[in-house]
Amino acid sequence: MKRLHALRHLAISAAVLLGLWQLVIITTAVPPYILPTPLAVAEVLVRQAPMLAHHAGITFAEILGGLVLGVLLGLSTALALAFIPRLRRTLLPLLLISQVIPLFAIAPLLVLWLGYDMLSKVVMATLIIYFPVASTGYDGLRQTPQGWLDLAHTLGASPWRLLLHVQLPAALPALASGVRMAATAAPIGAVIGEWAGASQGLGYLMLNANARMEIDLMFAALLVLVAFSLLLYFTLDALLRRLMPWHRDRLTRLN
């Protein structure tokens, strides 16, 4: 029921945005080579469906690869920061420095070093995902209730069991927030990598469509990317809620 409620609100929001889009075109008389109508974009979506599906499959594979690697590396870093104090003093400054470097600046370098194939785009998506997962995971591990830790020590829990059954479950809500942020940021990394250099993918398709003034095709590729991002977000959100039934129940009571 709640899922249907969320989908209904999403459909209403999409209808409002489409209405505003059409209203801007009617009131400003903007030419179609600058802002095409929603109907023109829908026609391109249908007519160019096979080509859009091909490029979308490439981009989606890059997004998934970056998401998996980013989550694994971020969680590993969070565990290292939480349990290895000596490493924490070195790794935390490096983490902060990594966020100061603009990703747009290193995208051409990654393409130069790793080539024009999928690897450079996966690495770019990984870099965008890595920090929110590492930082939220580390915060979650640090915020484990002391009472839980004391009880586990009283019961004689080993360090491994303490981590697996107490600290990781306590960190899951914070880590889930980082993963949700990563799901929305992963497409950005993949598309930036494709803009820097690629021969296929939705980012490549948008650049080429823009160069040929096929703005309706560019909007169609953008809408496919948005649809993928929403699908990824809601799929991960549903999975995370299943992994945290105690947190889901608490949110239900609060709402």
Side-chain angles (χ1 to χ4, degrees), residues 58 76 99 116 183 193 202 206 221:
I58 300 297
S76 300
Q99 295 308 295
Y116 283 79
L202 290 174
M206 283 190 282

Side-chain angles (χ1 to χ4, degrees), residues 64-80 125-127 129-134 137 168 175 178-179 182:
L64 286 180
L67 185 64
V68 171
L69 285 177
V71 170
L72 290 176
L73 289 174
L75 182 57
S76 300
T77 301
L79 291 170
T126 302
L127 290 175
I129 292 164
Y130 169 72
F131 183 77
V133 174
L168 278 180
L175 181 61
V179 172

Side-chain angles (χ1 to χ4, degrees), residues 85-107:
R86 290 183 179 179
L87 184 61
R88 185 189 312 153
R89 288 190 288 270
T90 303
L91 198 54
L92 266 179
L94 291 177
L95 263 177
L96 296 174
I97 291 172
S98 70
Q99 295 308 295
V100 177
I101 303 172
L103 287 177
F104 276 103
I106 65 173

Side-chain angles (χ1 to χ4, degrees), residues 181-238:
M181 286 190 292
T184 59
I188 299 173
V191 170
I192 289 174
E194 291 172 355
W195 285 349
S199 58
Q200 49 189 345
L202 290 174
Y204 163 82
L205 184 62
M206 283 190 282
L207 274 183
N208 277 268
N210 185 49
R212 297 193 302 267
M213 294 299 292
E214 296 178 348
I215 308 303
D216 49 1
L217 178 58
M218 188 175 70
F219 269 82
L222 180 60
L223 288 179
V224 172
L225 185 64
V226 169
F228 268 155
S229 301
L230 290 173
L231 175 64
L232 183 62
Y233 177 86
F234 285 113
T235 301
L236 283 174
D237 182 64

Side-chain angles (χ1 to χ4, degrees), residues 44 47-56 202 205 212 214 217:
V44 171
R47 188 174 68 251
Q48 302 286 3
M51 181 180 66
L52 286 167
H54 168 73
H55 289 284
L202 290 174
L205 184 62
R212 297 193 302 267
E214 296 178 348
L217 178 58

Side-chain angles (χ1 to χ4, degrees), residues 148 162-173 244 246:
W148 295 11
L162 184 67
L163 172 64
L164 190 62
H165 297 290
V166 178
Q167 291 170 294
L168 278 180
L172 269 178
M244 300 182 298
W246 68 92

